Amino acid sequence: MVVSMGVFCYSVTKLYKITCSKFGLAGIPKKGVNLNKKLHHQPIQIEFITQVDKMLPCVFRCSISHITLIPGEVTKTNYKLRNKNNDYFVGEAVYNITPFVASKYFNKLQCFCYNKMIIPPFADIVLPLVFYIDPNINFDDDTKNIKKITLTYILNNMGKW
């Protein structure tokens, strides 16, 4: 009876470990799961587009037209705004992301959008944007095949100062 209890305890322990490793229970990682490592490092191209209200006498553009990055990588770029007039004006930038389903994975760490800015005459202003794309974009069925995201900033005229 002692021998049979010993064999039973030994086999239950082995069965427990096999079951836990198969289903990923009790902190034991799953075995035999084939993770696609390329999926974690799938690059995405970000295209930067700017538009300006026709009433504004200024130039507004991004310092780069596009960049290719890996989701999770923190990226900084600068937008440049130049007032070509001798009057102050108030502007506000809003942004749009296409495809729209990717917008929930776009994370801004520093942004100038939705802030009213007083732009002095003939001023050159640098507006930084720091952002990253959440790596979970690669696991969402709606977004895992996205290769390009377009980020459009529109500078609106909020009136004279």
Side-chain angles (χ1 to χ4, degrees), residues 6-18:
V7 171
F8 176 74
C9 289
Y10 176 78
S11 61
V12 166
T13 305
K14 286 293 185 187
L15 184 61
Y16 175 77
K17 285 184 180 180
I18 291 169

Short mmCIF file of all heavy atoms in Angstrom, two decimals, residues 6-18:
data_model
loop_
_atom_site.label_atom_id
_atom_site.label_comp_id
_atom_site.label_asym_id
_atom_site.label_seq_id
_atom_site.Cartn_x
_atom_site.Cartn_y
_atom_site.Cartn_z
N GLY A 6 3.00 5.90 -3.03
CA GLY A 6 4.17 6.61 -3.56
C GLY A 6 4.10 6.77 -5.07
O GLY A 6 4.37 7.84 -5.61
N VAL A 7 3.72 5.69 -5.76
CA VAL A 7 3.55 5.75 -7.22
C VAL A 7 2.43 6.71 -7.58
O VAL A 7 2.54 7.51 -8.52
CB VAL A 7 3.29 4.33 -7.80
CG1 VAL A 7 2.90 4.40 -9.27
CG2 VAL A 7 4.50 3.44 -7.60
N PHE A 8 1.33 6.67 -6.85
CA PHE A 8 0.20 7.57 -7.11
C PHE A 8 0.61 9.04 -6.94
O PHE A 8 0.31 9.88 -7.79
CB PHE A 8 -0.97 7.23 -6.17
CG PHE A 8 -2.14 8.16 -6.31
CD1 PHE A 8 -2.98 8.09 -7.41
CD2 PHE A 8 -2.39 9.15 -5.35
CE1 PHE A 8 -4.05 8.95 -7.55
CE2 PHE A 8 -3.44 10.02 -5.49
CZ PHE A 8 -4.28 9.92 -6.59
N CYS A 9 1.32 9.37 -5.85
CA CYS A 9 1.77 10.76 -5.61
C CYS A 9 2.73 11.21 -6.69
O CYS A 9 2.66 12.35 -7.17
CB CYS A 9 2.42 10.86 -4.23
SG CYS A 9 1.24 10.74 -2.88
N TYR A 10 3.63 10.35 -7.10
CA TYR A 10 4.59 10.68 -8.15
C TYR A 10 3.85 10.95 -9.46
O TYR A 10 4.13 11.94 -10.15
CB TYR A 10 5.60 9.54 -8.32
CG TYR A 10 6.58 9.79 -9.44
CD1 TYR A 10 7.65 10.66 -9.27
CD2 TYR A 10 6.43 9.15 -10.66
CE1 TYR A 10 8.54 10.89 -10.29
CE2 TYR A 10 7.30 9.38 -11.69
CZ TYR A 10 8.37 10.25 -11.51
OH TYR A 10 9.25 10.49 -12.53
N SER A 11 2.90 10.10 -9.82
CA SER A 11 2.18 10.26 -11.09
C SER A 11 1.25 11.48 -11.06
O SER A 11 1.09 12.16 -12.07
CB SER A 11 1.42 8.99 -11.45
OG SER A 11 0.46 8.69 -10.45
N VAL A 12 0.65 11.78 -9.91
CA VAL A 12 -0.20 12.97 -9.81
C VAL A 12 0.64 14.23 -9.99
O VAL A 12 0.24 15.17 -10.66
CB VAL A 12 -0.96 12.98 -8.46
CG1 VAL A 12 -1.58 14.34 -8.19
CG2 VAL A 12 -2.04 11.93 -8.45
N THR A 13 1.83 14.25 -9.41
CA THR A 13 2.73 15.40 -9.56
C THR A 13 3.11 15.59 -11.02
O THR A 13 3.09 16.71 -11.54
CB THR A 13 3.99 15.20 -8.69
OG1 THR A 13 3.59 14.97 -7.36
CG2 THR A 13 4.88 16.41 -8.75
N LYS A 14 3.46 14.52 -11.70
CA LYS A 14 3.82 14.60 -13.12
C LYS A 14 2.62 15.04 -13.95
O LYS A 14 2.74 15.88 -14.84
CB LYS A 14 4.34 13.25 -13.63
CG LYS A 14 5.71 12.90 -13.16
CD LYS A 14 6.70 13.87 -13.79
CE LYS A 14 8.12 13.46 -13.44
NZ LYS A 14 9.08 14.43 -13.88
N LEU A 15 1.46 14.47 -13.67
CA LEU A 15 0.24 14.82 -14.39
C LEU A 15 -0.10 16.30 -14.17
O LEU A 15 -0.51 17.00 -15.10
CB LEU A 15 -0.92 13.93 -13.93
CG LEU A 15 -2.24 14.12 -14.66
CD1 LEU A 15 -2.09 13.82 -16.14
CD2 LEU A 15 -3.32 13.24 -14.05
N TYR A 16 0.08 16.80 -12.95
CA TYR A 16 -0.16 18.21 -12.64
C TYR A 16 0.77 19.11 -13.47
O TYR A 16 0.33 20.08 -14.08
CB TYR A 16 0.05 18.45 -11.14
CG TYR A 16 -0.05 19.91 -10.74
CD1 TYR A 16 -1.28 20.52 -10.63
CD2 TYR A 16 1.10 20.65 -10.47
CE1 TYR A 16 -1.38 21.85 -10.26
CE2 TYR A 16 1.01 21.97 -10.10
CZ TYR A 16 -0.23 22.58 -10.01
OH TYR A 16 -0.31 23.88 -9.66
N LYS A 17 2.06 18.77 -13.51
CA LYS A 17 3.01 19.58 -14.28
C LYS A 17 2.69 19.55 -15.77
O LYS A 17 2.77 20.58 -16.44
CB LYS A 17 4.43 19.08 -14.03
CG LYS A 17 4.98 19.48 -12.69
CD LYS A 17 6.42 19.05 -12.53
CE LYS A 17 6.95 19.47 -11.17
NZ LYS A 17 8.34 19.08 -10.98
N ILE A 18 2.31 18.39 -16.28
CA ILE A 18 1.97 18.29 -17.70
C ILE A 18 0.73 19.12 -18.01
O ILE A 18 0.69 19.87 -18.99
CB ILE A 18 1.76 16.81 -18.09
CG1 ILE A 18 3.09 16.05 -18.04
CG2 ILE A 18 1.13 16.69 -19.47
CD1 ILE A 18 2.95 14.55 -18.15
#
